[in-house]
Amino acid sequence: MAATLDDQAIEQTLRLQRGVIARRQLLERGATDNDVRRWVRRRDLARVLPGVFVDHTGPPSWSQRAWAGVLHCWPAALWGDSAMQALLGHRWRRATGIVHVAVDDARTLVQPEGYRIHRVAHLGRRVRWRARPPRMEAEDALVALTASATTGEAIAALADACQSGVASAAVLLSHVQRAPYVSKRSWLTAVLSDMAGGSNSSLELAYVRGVERAHGLPTAERQVRDRAGTRWVRRDALYRTYRLCVELDGRHFHDHARARDADLDRDLATALDRIRTIRLGWGQVVDRPCRTAAYLAALLRQEGWSGRLRRCSPACSSREAVRVAGAPER
């Protein structure tokens, strides 16, 4: 920016908006149209959308495109998938190049390329205006997601939101119960109840619903802080009576050698208390839940469990696994 300009407010706005600013904001902060034209000519600013600029000449990031869409359509807010991407960042698994922006349903705007404009009734009551950028309320966005997402995508988004502190299972459950219309209300209520009960990750939820509960296994303690030998550990699923601990590892690979080393240390500490540790990943829990349940049932029976494995459906493959695992079936 020009050195002769008192541009502190402009610089602060650029910082808050990821380097994006609207012409109207520049004029409100003392700039003139001539100033704007000069900054563009000198490449201090580059046009992203009509009336909206970014403070560099390279390709704008997704966050900068999101800010540009909101400022171009102002008053507006990120909506749907884009609200979820703003909430979860790199955790959001359905990211696309389209930026979804909501405006009041009384307005009609030309839709810029790469953007999708949604006209929404009562927009003001459904937006967190103080977010950066303004976006759909987290509870609304997460609940609306379930209408179009697959079961896996919905569970992953709900779990990621609760793990990252964006939302809490209890608040989401209350929202689902009092909202006048919710798609898949009973399913959402069941999933959120599991999360409120201690199942934190999408893999843990899949384990509870697809392996343990579906096949009649005993109910484990979730996310237990427990002493193992001389140290404290947190166990994903502990069958204390049967001295079996199930650890659920959703990472496709460990973040670094230190993380893997910490896992092995925890297993050693758990072994001091003569508790057997079984580690399960996505393959065992999601791809082969019936076979996994049969093997766990056999391990539990070795430690005194008297229950019987239940078939989760007529197509359940646990019967085939039973012959290998030796877990009686009902």
Side-chain angles (χ1 to χ4, degrees), residues 290-311:
C290 304
R291 188 172 75 176
T292 298
Y295 278 93
L296 288 175
L299 291 170
L300 290 164
R301 285 187 66 79
Q302 289 176 6
E303 299 296 333
W305 181 54
S306 59
R308 297 178 70 85
L309 191 67
R310 181 174 67 226
R311 299 185 73 192

Side-chain angles (χ1 to χ4, degrees), residues 138-139 142-143 157-176 192-193 195-197 200:
E139 293 78 15
L142 285 161
V143 170
L158 292 167
D160 286 345
C162 292
Q163 276 188 313
S164 62
V166 165
S168 78
V171 170
L172 283 168
L173 185 57
S174 175
H175 179 81
V176 167
L192 291 170
S193 295
M195 293 177 67
N200 291 333

Side-chain angles (χ1 to χ4, degrees), residues 147-274:
S148 60
T150 66
T151 298
E153 288 171 337
I155 287 177
L158 292 167
D160 286 345
C162 292
Q163 276 188 313
S164 62
V166 165
S168 78
V171 170
L172 283 168
L173 185 57
S174 175
H175 179 81
V176 167
Q177 290 169 339
R178 70 172 185 269
Y181 175 77
V182 174
S183 176
K184 305 178 184 176
R185 189 191 300 271
S186 60
W187 179 86
L188 261 175
T189 299
V191 170
L192 291 170
S193 295
D194 285 341
M195 293 177 67
S199 297
N200 291 333
S201 74
S202 50
L203 185 59
E204 285 180 61
L205 284 167
Y207 174 79
V208 171
R209 299 173 69 81
V211 177
E212 184 183 272
R213 186 179 302 158
H215 295 91
L217 298 178
T219 301
E221 299 174 59
R222 316 277 177 217
Q223 291 296 312
V224 180
R225 185 172 183 266
D226 200 15
R227 182 174 287 279
T230 59
R231 59 182 296 185
W232 287 98
V233 297
R234 186 169 295 279
R235 292 164 170 160
D236 290 338
L238 176 63
Y239 300 92
R240 194 184 299 273
T241 302
Y242 308 109
R243 313 194 72 80
L244 180 68
C245 176
V246 174
E247 296 289 352
L248 299 158
D249 191 348
R251 294 169 294 182
H252 293 291
F253 52 87
H254 286 268
D255 299 331
H256 43 66
R258 188 177 301 170
R260 175 61 175 165
D261 189 60
D263 285 346
L264 296 175
D265 266 353
R266 181 169 57 176
D267 292 350
L268 282 171
T270 300
L272 288 174
D273 288 340
R274 298 184 180 177

